[in-house]
Amino acid sequence: MLGNFTYSNPTKLYFGKDALEGLNAELPGYGKNVLLVYGGGSIKKNGIYKKIIEILQANGKNIFEDAGVMPNPTSDKLEEGIQRARSAKADLILAVGGGSVCDYAKAVSVSVNCNDDAWEKYYIRFDDVTCDIIPVGCVLTMVGTGSEMNGGSVITNRRQKLKIGHVFGDNVFPKFSILNPEFTFTVPKYQMVAGIYDIMSHILEQYFSGTDDNTSDYIMEGLLRSLIHSADIAVKNPKDYEARSNIMWIATWALNTLVAKGKTTDWMVHMLGQAIGAHTDATHGMTLSAVSMPYYRHILPYGEAKFARYAVNVWGVNPEDKSQRQVAEEGLSEMEQWMQSIGLVMNITRLGATEEMLDGIVKSTRITNGGYKVLDEKDIKKVIKASY
Ligand code: NZQ
Ligand code: ZN
């Protein structure tokens, strides 16, 4: 393990079919005013909304609502949420939904007691939080982002064509999260598969960095193998509790900061994906799948040994009588076939990207420096063109 680090994760998790009972345990610890934040209405159709309202009422809470948080929440919606939380004098923000709703709740929580423009402060200047935070709790209904146990909060500014994530400190992590795998059974297949790839991408963004012997890499190989196994089952039978519960748990561990420890981490696939999202508003996981193969093939020569290890330990490639390069490439081919087999989108054209957008996408891509190659604009153009 290289470097120095601190590790703590303050989010309390309630997991399993009875997880919602955790809400009864948590609510007495907060004041009366609860701002209930949710998306476009799936929770009303599947009955989760009703269950939560009953629990809030039984605990004597004043319920204020902020509905209509869209996938890839916008800076305009964030402004609306800040006003709602202020007028509700919210003591707790309860986010019920997927990553978009959880991310948005965190962005509201750090902005309510602040006078600055939230987009400028957190997403352009990357300022630290200097005002009082309203605690956030999360009831997860869609799996993938890991937002239930991290400080990530991604907001899109449609006018500026920018989609940017701020990773807040552990004081902004949800205070508690409720993870009932059955709540995810109604997620449409397209979203489920996108979420599965989001998880895979989170792991790979951290795995493909560094050359030292690092326990985190061994943990990630285990998580990846479990993910591939359970994803194959869930794609055939989305109501398989065992598979869906494993996927839910892997998602949390993929991005709750543990496996990043001692790693430089890359995140370039996410930077490319976010730029595509800013221009197309496409589903997050699919923006990642669409660019991954061109990106990994582009950087493979700079991290060949790690790609070969990945091929053997995750995809079961037999290395006998093969060069390191051959093993590494075979691993990526296995990955590509698997991605196609579960129904992932493999190019940005299918996400609505047009030729006129390509230069803009390149410009909107932020460059990171923790992976095997620091890209320049020419590299980004090449990867984006190969994804088109
Ligand atoms: O809005 P509703 O009607 O609820 O429908 C949602 C939405 O349309 C639907 N859905 C969620 N749960 C459902 C359901 N439909 C039926 N039954 C259910 N149980 O699913 C759609 C997508 O939801 P969304 O929250 O947008 O998906 P996801 O969890 O993938 O979140 C994506 C957002 O998270 C950000 C992404 O950039 C994107 O903005 N990310 C956050 C990260 C973090 N906090 O660390 C890291 C990630 O890399 C990611 O960037
Ligand atoms: Zn992601």
Side-chain angles (χ1 to χ4, degrees):
M1 303 286 284
L2 295 180
N4 306 294
F5 57 80
T6 310
Y7 180 70
S8 99
N9 193 316
T11 304
K12 184 167 182 179
L13 295 181
Y14 293 87
F15 191 95
K17 291 182 185 180
D18 298 332
L20 195 56
E21 281 170 19
L23 195 53
N24 279 313
E26 290 296 324
L27 285 175
Y30 299 92
K32 283 234 164 240
N33 299 336
V34 176
L35 183 69
L36 179 63
V37 178
Y38 56 98
S42 68
I43 63 164
K44 289 202 168 157
K45 285 192 209 125
N46 60 23
I48 296 173
Y49 173 85
K50 190 164 166 268
K51 286 184 188 148
I52 286 175
I53 293 287
E54 281 167 9
I55 294 176
L56 288 170
Q57 283 170 343
N59 281 272
K61 301 295 179 185
N62 302 322
I63 306 166
F64 300 85
E65 297 201 13
D66 181 8
V69 179
M70 61 292 278
N72 310 319
T74 63
S75 47
D76 288 345
K77 177 67 187 163
L78 172 58
E79 283 309 313
E80 195 189 303
I82 295 167
Q83 296 312 328
R84 275 177 196 267
R86 277 182 192 151
S87 57
K89 296 196 169 46
D91 298 307
L92 171 72
I93 302 177
L94 186 61
V96 185
S100 293
V101 174
C102 291
D103 280 18
Y104 169 88
K106 291 176 209 166
V108 171
S109 99
V110 295
S111 306
V112 176
N113 295 313
C114 240
N115 291 324
D116 305 45
D117 176 273
W119 169 258
E120 288 289 328
K121 179 175 169 69
Y122 295 120
Y123 298 91
I124 299 295
R125 298 200 305 269
F126 283 91
D127 285 359
D128 290 333
V129 183
T130 46
C131 50
D132 284 348
I133 294 163
I134 300 185
V136 171
C138 169
V139 179
L140 198 65
T141 67
M142 146 93 204
V143 165
T145 65
S147 190
E148 66 275 13
M149 204 182 193
N150 70 33
S153 171
V154 183
I155 297 293
T156 298
N157 185 312
R158 288 194 184 152
R159 277 181 300 280
Q160 296 178 13
K161 297 229 178 300
L162 290 172
K163 180 176 183 184
I164 296 177
H166 188 127
V167 181
F168 292 102
D170 61 10
N171 52 342
V172 184
F173 284 33
K175 299 289 177 250
F176 61 89
S177 282
I178 289 172
L179 277 62
N180 180 343
E182 286 182 340
F183 285 3
T184 69
F185 281 0
T186 52
V187 170
K189 200 161 189 183
Y190 184 86
Q191 295 290 345
M192 178 188 80
V193 173
I196 287 169
Y197 192 72
D198 193 20
I199 304 168
M200 177 170 272
S201 180
H202 293 159
I203 300 172
L204 296 181
E205 298 274 30
Q206 300 168 91
Y207 183 77
F208 287 126
S209 70
T211 51
D212 59 314
D213 187 37
N214 190 317
T215 300
S216 293
D217 288 332
Y218 298 80
I219 298 173
M220 287 190 270
E221 286 165 358
L223 292 174
L224 285 165
R225 285 164 57 190
S226 177
L227 178 67
I228 294 161
H229 174 75
S230 292
D232 286 339
I233 297 167
V235 166
K236 287 194 196 87
N237 178 14
K239 292 225 160 68
D240 187 302
Y241 182 85
E242 200 170 38
R244 296 301 289 275
S245 59
N246 282 327
I247 294 169
M248 192 172 220
W249 195 225
I250 300 163
T252 304
W253 284 92
L255 199 53
N256 71 357
T257 76
L258 176 86
V259 297
K261 296 304 167 197
K263 307 279 308 175
T264 51
T265 73
D266 184 356
W267 296 107
M268 206 50 226
V269 169
H270 271 66
M271 295 304 107
L272 292 157
Q274 282 174 204
I276 293 153
H279 287 260
T280 61
D281 201 27
T283 298
H284 172 65
M286 295 304 187
T287 64
L288 308 175
S289 61
V291 296
S292 283
M293 292 323 300
Y295 174 68
Y296 286 132
R297 291 198 164 113
H298 187 75
I299 64 159
L300 181 146
Y302 308 90
E304 196 179 284
K306 192 60 167 287
F307 279 95
R309 172 177 164 171
Y310 171 63
V312 174
N313 292 354
V314 176
W315 295 102
V317 172
N318 180 355
E320 257 173 61
D321 302 325
K322 289 174 196 153
S323 68
Q324 183 169 267
R325 176 62 70 91
Q326 275 173 326
V327 175
E329 285 175 351
E330 234 179 86
L332 287 187
S333 298
E334 290 285 338
M335 175 180 169
E336 186 173 39
Q337 280 168 37
W338 178 80
M339 289 171 73
Q340 287 162 344
S341 77
I342 65 164
L344 288 161
V345 173
M346 302 300 281
N347 62 67
I348 61 174
T349 324
R350 266 191 61 200
L351 298 176
T354 60
E355 189 137 21
E356 300 79 68
M357 284 182 192
L358 298 185
D359 285 343
I361 291 173
V362 173
K363 279 207 180 63
S364 303
T365 305
R366 292 173 59 222
I367 295 171
T368 58
N369 60 9
Y372 290 126
K373 181 179 194 320
V374 179
L375 300 193
D376 57 25
E377 206 177 297
K378 245 172 63 195
D379 294 313
I380 293 174
K381 251 191 194 141
K382 205 172 149 199
V383 173
I384 293 289
K385 283 233 161 92
S387 312
Y388 182 64

